[in-house]
Amino acid sequence: MPLVIGVTKEFTPGERRVALVPDVAKKYQGLGAALLLQAGAGASAYYRDEDYGAAELVADASSVLKKADVVLQVQPLSMDDLNELKPGSVLVGLQQPWSSKERVELLRQKGITCFALELLPRISRAQSMDVLSSQAAVAGYECALIAADHSPKFFPMLTYAAGTIRPAKVLVIGAGVAGLQAIATAKRLGAMVSGYDVRPETKEQIESLGAKFVDTGVSAAGTGGYARELTDDEKRQQAEKLGKAIAECDALITTAAIPGKKAPVIVSAEMVARMKPGSVVVDMAAETGGNVAGTMAGEKTWVGETLIIGPTNIPSRMPVHASEMYAKNLFNFISPFIKDGALALDWEDEVLAGACLTHAGEVRHAGVKQALGL
């Protein structure tokens, strides 16, 4: 029998993405795999069942989970759904591996080979599989649109019969994939854009997009492309110079987040208090605590005359392209190991081994193991 790849509906509230899109489904079938799809799995992302061609359709998620050899998902499966998985099957997607000891234990006990793509090694060869980067690009784009939508000012310069309206000033904190996309999008919308990151190598990237780099004199280059934690003296220096830039902006977008850790608070209540009346803050890190004092996940909060927005699950706001990008990432990860309709995992492959959470009744990732005390 050929390898059966299964996809269910996403049941996390507000989740509109799907782990498999029709164009990528054809590629799996071209490798000899059979597809098993819960009816309506792609509906929230505007993909119809008939778009998936020869995929077998079933009415409920349980029928997929019990039969599939490989299950693709966006959000982590619930404990009930994990119990439905066929013993020894393979689970691929975002797993939030640091969030639940119970989930990891259940995966181990059931002998599930689970790949958590948050754990993907940060190497060049893995870039085409990097779901965190692809979804961060969507989030950065969306955050710029959210800021423009809620700002009481035009983003671009506008000339009209009575004169000229000056463009809004936008400051983006964090120049990873999300931050750079937010900068590029705000710039396309015509705003005067500045960017800030504690990693000095981002200065050139920010300026290449036509934005101004805010130099605080603090450098915090870390490992794996992420920033290290600042010392108390560095935090004070950063706060002083960054506070001036924040006070001058009309819209502030913060994007500083590290997977598996609480987001660093970069913008204090005092900084927010000094912002212009009518200014807007979009805190992309709201789900992990937020970069801004006063952020509430999933809420819009007025702090004085400043609106702080804490959007959650931002990529799901743009489900068509977010799903397409995500599905291609998953395909690039697992397809090299599908040969003639069968799955042959190569544990010598550093990308595959690095992203493995559980396999053969063991928790394979040392960092997760230590963090959860397993």
Side-chain angles (χ1 to χ4, degrees):
M1 286 183 63
L3 177 75
V4 177
I5 297 175
V7 177
T8 69
K9 290 180 181 177
E10 295 287 329
F11 289 103
T12 301
E15 183 55 73
R16 299 168 63 198
R17 291 170 292 175
V18 64
L20 182 65
V21 301
D23 284 349
V24 176
K26 293 173 186 175
K27 293 182 180 180
Y28 283 117
Q29 290 168 328
L31 294 173
L35 300 179
L36 184 62
L37 200 71
Q38 183 182 2
S44 294
Y46 306 103
Y47 296 111
R48 299 168 298 184
D49 289 342
E50 55 265 35
D51 294 337
Y52 288 90
E56 180 186 350
L57 296 174
V58 293
D60 56 87
S62 178
S63 299
V64 174
L65 300 175
K66 287 178 177 177
K67 186 177 178 182
D69 301 307
V70 176
V71 174
L72 309 177
Q73 36 77 216
V74 178
Q75 296 286 352
L77 297 181
S78 68
M79 295 292 280
D80 287 342
D81 285 340
L82 289 178
N83 272 310
E84 298 274 12
L85 287 169
K86 183 167 75 172
S89 59
V90 176
L91 182 63
V92 185
L94 291 168
Q95 309 296 346
Q96 298 177 13
W98 302 278
S99 66
S100 173
K101 184 176 181 178
E102 290 72 25
R103 288 187 72 260
V104 175
E105 268 295 307
L106 182 56
L107 287 164
R108 183 191 65 76
Q109 290 168 12
K110 286 185 66 70
I112 303 300
T113 297
C114 178
F115 294 104
L117 295 192
E118 298 96 327
L119 305 177
L120 205 69
R122 311 290 289 183
I123 59 175
S124 297
R125 190 165 65 83
Q127 287 179 355
S128 68
M129 315 165 196
D130 189 355
V131 297
L132 293 181
S133 290
S134 73
Q135 302 307 290
V138 178
Y141 171 84
E142 281 288 331
C143 281
L145 299 185
I146 293 168
D149 184 39
H150 289 81
S151 176
K153 296 184 175 182
F154 286 116
F155 264 34
M157 183 176 74
L158 189 76
T159 301
Y160 71 121
T164 301
I165 302 291
R166 291 182 60 78
K169 292 182 179 180
V170 176
L171 172 61
V172 178
I173 295 178
V177 173
L180 292 173
Q181 186 60 250
I183 288 170
T185 304
K187 191 70 181 172
R188 290 188 199 107
L189 291 172
M192 293 175 62
V193 185
S194 298
Y196 170 72
D197 196 292
V198 289
R199 297 167 298 160
E201 65 269 22
T202 61
K203 180 178 187 290
E204 186 177 335
Q205 295 171 312
I206 289 169
E207 291 177 342
S208 72
L209 295 171
K212 179 184 175 182
F213 180 72
V214 177
D215 189 357
T216 64
V218 174
S219 172
T223 58
Y226 297 107
R228 64 170 173 79
E229 192 168 347
L230 299 179
T231 65
D232 289 341
D233 285 342
E234 287 172 331
K235 286 178 181 177
R236 279 191 290 273
Q237 183 178 340
Q238 178 195 55
E240 181 184 344
K241 295 191 177 179
L242 191 57
K244 291 181 181 178
I246 291 170
E248 293 173 359
C249 73
D250 300 299
L252 172 64
I253 300 169
T254 64
T255 68
I258 302 172
K261 295 185 179 180
K262 188 177 184 300
V265 177
I266 298 170
V267 182
S268 66
E270 290 77 16
M271 292 179 186
V272 173
R274 290 168 57 196
M275 293 184 76
K276 298 176 184 177
S279 54
V280 176
V281 177
V282 182
D283 191 340
M284 201 190 87
E287 284 180 287
T288 52
N291 299 141
V292 182
T295 294
M296 296 182 66
E299 302 289 339
K300 297 177 184 178
T301 309
W302 283 97
V303 177
E305 295 180 289
T306 296
L307 176 61
I308 300 177
I309 303 169
T312 57
N313 195 8
I314 305 168
S316 187
R317 292 167 172 260
M318 201 172 72
V320 174
H321 282 153
S323 296
E324 180 181 331
M325 296 163 80
Y326 187 87
K328 287 179 178 177
N329 291 145
L330 263 59
F331 179 82
N332 290 338
F333 176 78
I334 199 70
S335 63
F337 311 105
I338 302 175
K339 312 254 193 250
D340 301 320
L343 186 67
L345 298 175
D346 177 9
W347 294 106
E348 297 299 314
D349 186 287
E350 64 177 320
V351 174
L352 184 89
C356 184
L357 178 59
T358 60
H359 174 66
E362 297 179 355
V363 179
R364 287 291 185 95
H365 194 275
V368 173
K369 206 170 180 179
Q370 182 179 3
L372 297 180
L374 294 169

